[in-house]
Amino acid sequence: MPETIGFIGTGIMGQPMALNLLKGGHRVSVYNRTRAKTGALEQAGARVAASPAEAARGASVVMTIVSDSAAIEEVVLGKSGLIETIGSGAVLIDSSTISPAVSRKLACHLAGKGAAMLDAPVTGSKHGAEKGELTFMIGGDPGTLERALPILKLLGKKHIYCGQNGLGLAAKLAQNVIQSTMVEIFCEGFVLATKAGVRPETMMEIIQGSMARAALTDFKAPFIFRGDFTPYFPLKLMHKDLELAMEAAFAQNIPMPAAAAVKEVYGAAKAQGKGDLDYTAVVTTLEELAGTKVRAGVSPAQ
Ligand code: NAP
């Protein structure tokens, strides 16, 4: 049964997700702060809305995927925010990675309008969004999830229920602590090996023959070795997620010494102006400090 869906935030992740909803036969009304980024969706049959409120009007499901907590607060509660028009009985699925506390607060605002909210952050990056193969981590009422599942199935291959509102995000922050640290420490190891004179290709062969092998670094290594930092996941957003994880750790009295150090390395890269590059650009900051480059096909001595 085709549904009327409001979709807000057509960035790296949102654009392919909205496209998959259109391909699924739904009527989609899209809003993006920068209107130029909705052109491809309009061509694919989406209606372009002038505000979040307009995108949500008449929708049975509203999806949001914007940068951070401030952005989602603006989209939901700000001027012409979706809270003005979202219908009683509608569901807001928010796939932004934001503060769990902010998400719970928004769920309360929506409940006041008779609408339900799921926090449904994702992993799988741009390619997972394009293929409809994202993994969703979901918080909220199980009945609301059941209601939203046919929509979520167009976008992802795994939908993992984590518990009450905010717990999808709690899981997502933990996942990105692990992912950011894996990439950073991979880069540190490769900088160490390269400066000593071991070629990146040789080091990669060793890693792939060892227990340190991981799908993440198998995927990211060719980009690092080419020096291609086209953003799949912008570095400034990974830094934001580490900051959110630190806030959660503080609130729960949890020490996270390695994550705290890794956050500072991403923070340094961001301060150098690399925030809009892929988060693997963290390697360039480590390279600059060490005076070497991890590039395949380039002799370590060069
Ligand atoms: P992105 O390409 O930078 O897109 C960010 C989106 O948020 C854009 O549509 C942007 O609008 C919008 N936005 C930012 N501030 C806003 C505001 N104040 N009001 C309204 N809209 C605002 O980022 P992305 O990679 O798609 O990431 C989106 C979310 O998904 C983030 O929370 C990120 O952490 C999460 N995520 C990303 C990935 C990934 O691999 N990329 C994976 C998992 C989760 P403009 O176009 O006007 O700037």
Side-chain angles (χ1 to χ4, degrees):
M1 228 346 228
E3 296 208 53
T4 301
I5 301 175
F7 196 101
I8 297 166
T10 60
I12 293 172
M13 298 296 283
Q15 172 158 329
M17 289 167 76
L19 203 53
N20 283 334
L21 294 177
L22 284 165
K23 284 185 194 156
H26 297 290
R27 292 177 294 273
V28 184
S29 181
V30 295
Y31 168 77
N32 195 62
R33 182 180 61 175
T34 307
R35 194 185 167 114
K37 288 192 202 165
T38 55
L41 288 163
E42 192 171 17
Q43 280 192 348
R47 194 174 77 81
V48 178
S51 66
E54 194 182 313
R57 185 174 286 117
S60 49
V61 173
V62 181
M63 274 204 88
T64 45
I65 180 156
V66 292
S67 312
D68 53 22
S69 301
I72 192 69
E73 289 204 90
E74 193 170 334
V75 158
V76 178
L77 303 176
K79 189 168 172 284
S80 302
L82 65 86
I83 197 85
E84 292 179 10
T85 54
I86 195 161
S88 173
V91 179
L92 172 62
I93 306 171
D94 179 35
S95 287
S96 320
T97 307
I98 60 161
S99 151
V102 168
S103 184
R104 280 192 283 267
K105 182 184 81 176
L106 295 177
C108 289
H109 279 278
L110 284 153
K113 298 276 297 189
M117 178 168 169
L118 297 172
D119 48 299
V122 294
T123 186
S125 206
K126 183 183 167 193
H127 52 290
E130 286 167 352
K131 290 195 226 153
E133 291 181 356
L134 294 168
T135 293
F136 284 84
M137 292 150 263
I138 299 160
D141 168 55
T144 306
L145 171 56
E146 203 174 312
R147 154 80 187 83
L149 211 48
I151 301 290
L152 292 174
K153 281 192 172 164
L154 293 171
L155 308 176
K157 60 178 176 3
K158 277 196 176 169
H159 307 87
I160 301 172
Y161 181 66
C162 301
Q164 64 193 25
N165 283 99
L167 289 187
L169 281 161
K172 173 64 194 174
L173 297 183
Q175 185 237 328
N176 265 8
V177 162
I178 296 167
Q179 192 160 320
S180 61
T181 305
M182 283 173 69
V183 163
E184 198 275 348
I185 207 68
F186 177 88
C187 294
E188 281 193 24
F190 271 73
V191 165
L192 177 70
T194 308
K195 183 132 190 195
V198 180
R199 299 180 74 94
E201 301 93 315
T202 307
M203 195 61 214
M204 195 62 196
E205 198 181 337
I206 293 162
I207 294 298
Q208 290 184 328
S210 79
M211 295 295 278
R213 183 171 196 176
L216 172 64
T217 47
D218 274 1
F219 179 75
K220 287 295 192 186
F223 291 92
I224 293 170
F225 297 164
R226 284 199 304 274
D228 176 357
F229 304 114
T230 308
Y232 275 53
F233 183 35
L235 186 144
K236 66 183 178 197
L237 295 184
M238 184 60 100
H239 184 244
K240 173 259 306 178
D241 291 354
L242 283 162
E243 187 65 45
L244 289 171
M246 288 300 128
E247 284 170 26
F250 177 80
Q252 295 174 85
N253 201 21
I254 296 169
M256 299 191 73
V262 164
K263 179 176 86 84
E264 291 308 310
V265 184
Y266 284 101
K270 192 176 87 171
Q272 289 178 314
K274 297 170 184 167
D276 290 323
L277 301 177
D278 192 73
Y279 70 103
T280 47
V282 74
V283 73
T284 61
T285 300
L286 297 166
E287 289 170 341
E288 285 158 26
L289 290 170
T292 190
K293 269 191 185 302
V294 181
R295 297 289 174 276
V298 179
S299 155
Q302 287 176 338

